[in-house]
Amino acid sequence: MGKPRLTSIAFVESPLQFLSALEAHEPDEDLLIRARANAKGMTSFLDAFDTAWLPKRVRLEREGAKPGILRKSPPDRIYIGDACSGQVHKALSLAYLERRMPEVVILDDGLATYSTIEILTAKRGPLVRPRQKLKASRAVMAAHVADRLRGLAPAGRLRWHTALPVSKTMRKAFLKTGAEITRHKFTHLQTLPTGGSHPRDNPVIGSALAADGLIHEDAYRSWLDKLAAEGPITYYPHRRETDEFLAELAEDERIRIKHVGLPIELRLINLPSDSTIRSLPSTAAVSLATLNPDVTIAVTEIPAKWWTGSSPDSLRKSLNAQTVKADVDS
C-alpha cells in the first residue's frame, strides 16, 4: 500500500499569486486553489483563464480563504498568496487556534512579498502591508498569524517559493530562522498556449503607483508622453488603474491600450529577442526578464520628485533598488 497523496490548498487573491501557485504545485500533489474572485481584476482573469491549462491534480474554486475548508479537509500544506490578507488571517486563526498548523509556503505577491519576508524574519510584529493601518481586532489577528508562521520556521515547515531576485542579506536572514527558499522560472507558464510571437509594438507595462497615490499622476503621464514621443507604444494597464485615467490616455493616438484579462506574463511570452519592454520598477518586469532572457527590459528608476510622500522611505528605496535579474540563486 503506497503512502497517502499529499493534499494542499492555495489561497490566492491576484493573477500573479494564482500563477505562482501553479508553479509551486508538485506532480504528486492534490492541490485545490481557492481564488478570491471579488478581488480587483480577478473576475476578468478567472473568466479568461482556461481551466484546461491547469496541471493534473489541480482544482479551482472561486471561494477564497474560508476557515470551513481548513476544518472540513485539513490539508498537508497551505500555499498563501497574500500573507497580509485579512480574509487569510481569519481563516488561519479560526482553523488553527489550538491545532498544529501544517507546512506553509509563501507565494510571490509582487514586490510587496519582500515586506512579508522581512516581517516573518523579524522576531515580532504583525503581518501588515506598508501604509496599512489596522483596527485593534485585526492587528491582534495579524500578529497572531505572524507568530504562528514564525513558529513553523525552526521546524522546517515554512518556505518561500519565488521567482523574484533575493538579496544576500534577505536570503541569509530568512534561512537563519530555519525557513527555506525554493525558486522557479515559470516552467508551467511557459507551456501554456497564450504567448507566441508578437509584433514589435513597443510594449509598456502599466504601473499602479499613481493609482495607489504613491507617485504623482502628472509625473507618470509625463513619462508616458516621453515614451510615446519616441514612437507609438502599446500600453498594458495594471489591474488597479482607473477607467478615468485609461480613458484619458486612450485619447492620445500615439498610445494603444491593450486590455487583457490574462496577466501580462501570459501575453508577452516569447517576444522576439530584439524587443524592448519598458516599465517602472515592478514585479512584471522581473517576471518577464525570467520568461524572456534575451529581451531588453528597460526599467526607469523613479525620481525623488515623483513621490507624493505617502509611502515610507524604505518602500521608495526598495522599489528603486529592484533589478530584473536575480542576484542570488537559492
Side-chain angles (χ1 to χ4, degrees):
M1 184 175 179
K3 65 179 181 179
R5 192 183 300 280
L6 183 71
T7 61
S8 301
I9 189 167
F11 296 130
V12 301
E13 301 187 2
S14 76
L16 176 62
Q17 295 170 27
F18 182 98
L19 296 178
S20 296
L22 297 186
E23 299 300 335
H25 170 254
E26 299 174 3
D28 61 347
E29 174 184 31
D30 286 327
L31 172 62
L32 170 61
I33 297 180
R34 300 271 291 201
R36 187 174 182 175
N38 64 352
K40 182 71 172 179
M42 279 299 281
T43 297
S44 59
F45 163 68
L46 293 171
D47 288 344
F49 188 89
D50 189 340
T51 54
W53 299 340
L54 293 172
K56 291 181 180 179
R57 291 193 279 274
V58 176
R59 294 181 295 123
L60 169 63
E61 294 180 356
R62 302 188 183 198
E63 298 295 329
K66 302 290 175 61
I69 189 68
L70 295 173
R71 290 168 171 167
K72 181 180 179 182
S73 305
D76 301 307
R77 176 184 293 157
I78 300 174
Y79 295 101
I80 299 178
D82 182 0
C84 296
S85 165
Q87 191 178 90
V88 170
H89 290 174
K90 183 177 180 180
L92 294 177
S93 296
L94 292 178
Y96 296 105
L97 183 61
E98 296 181 347
R99 294 164 56 205
R100 180 177 183 268
M101 190 175 286
E103 177 192 6
V104 171
V105 179
I106 304 298
L107 303 174
D108 285 340
D109 180 31
L111 298 179
T113 309
Y114 294 124
S115 174
T116 293
I117 297 302
E118 288 173 349
I119 291 171
L120 293 177
T121 300
K123 292 184 178 180
R124 62 180 63 86
L127 275 163
V128 58
R129 301 182 188 95
R131 302 189 306 135
Q132 186 181 21
K133 289 182 172 53
L134 302 180
K135 294 180 179 179
S137 58
R138 275 279 289 112
V140 170
M141 192 179 297
H144 170 71
V145 172
D147 286 340
R148 291 298 302 273
L149 294 186
R150 290 188 191 103
L152 296 175
R157 303 209 314 275
L158 180 64
R159 177 161 57 95
W160 176 23
H161 192 63
T162 182
L164 295 172
V166 182
S167 70
K168 292 180 180 179
T169 301
M170 178 172 287
R171 177 180 183 273
K172 182 178 180 181
F174 192 61
L175 295 180
K176 188 176 180 180
T177 68
E180 300 178 9
I181 301 175
T182 51
R183 303 194 65 86
H184 71 86
K185 295 184 178 181
F186 294 103
T187 303
H188 179 71
L189 188 152
Q190 295 187 64
T191 68
L192 303 184
T194 58
S197 180
H198 291 258
R200 294 189 61 201
D201 52 10
N202 296 319
V204 176
I205 302 173
S207 172
L209 292 174
D212 291 343
L214 299 180
I215 63 174
H216 295 290
E217 186 176 298
D218 57 350
Y220 183 60
R221 186 68 174 85
S222 176
W223 175 67
L224 293 176
D225 282 338
K226 291 179 180 178
L227 294 180
E230 300 172 4
I233 63 175
T234 299
Y235 187 77
Y236 291 84
H238 189 280
R239 61 194 177 94
R240 290 202 300 275
E241 290 187 272
T242 66
D243 293 336
E244 293 76 14
F245 176 78
L246 295 176
E248 178 185 332
L249 201 61
E251 295 177 0
D252 190 329
E253 60 182 16
R254 303 167 303 171
I255 301 176
R256 174 193 176 203
I257 296 180
K258 195 163 186 177
H259 292 278
V260 290
L262 295 173
I264 196 169
E265 289 89 349
L266 282 170
R267 289 303 190 190
L268 295 183
I269 300 175
N270 301 324
L271 283 170
S273 59
D274 57 349
S275 300
T276 297
I277 299 174
R278 293 173 174 80
S279 174
L280 295 183
S282 70
T283 309
V286 175
S287 302
L288 289 168
T290 301
L291 292 165
N292 300 278
D294 297 326
V295 169
T296 299
I297 313 292
V299 178
T300 300
E301 183 173 313
I302 303 171
K305 62 183 179 181
W306 286 22
W307 297 100
T308 62
S310 62
S311 58
D313 288 340
S314 58
L315 176 62
R316 297 196 291 270
K317 291 177 181 178
S318 175
L319 281 173
N320 273 337
Q322 302 312 321
T323 66
V324 295
K325 298 294 183 183
D327 55 349
V328 171
D329 187 11
S330 301

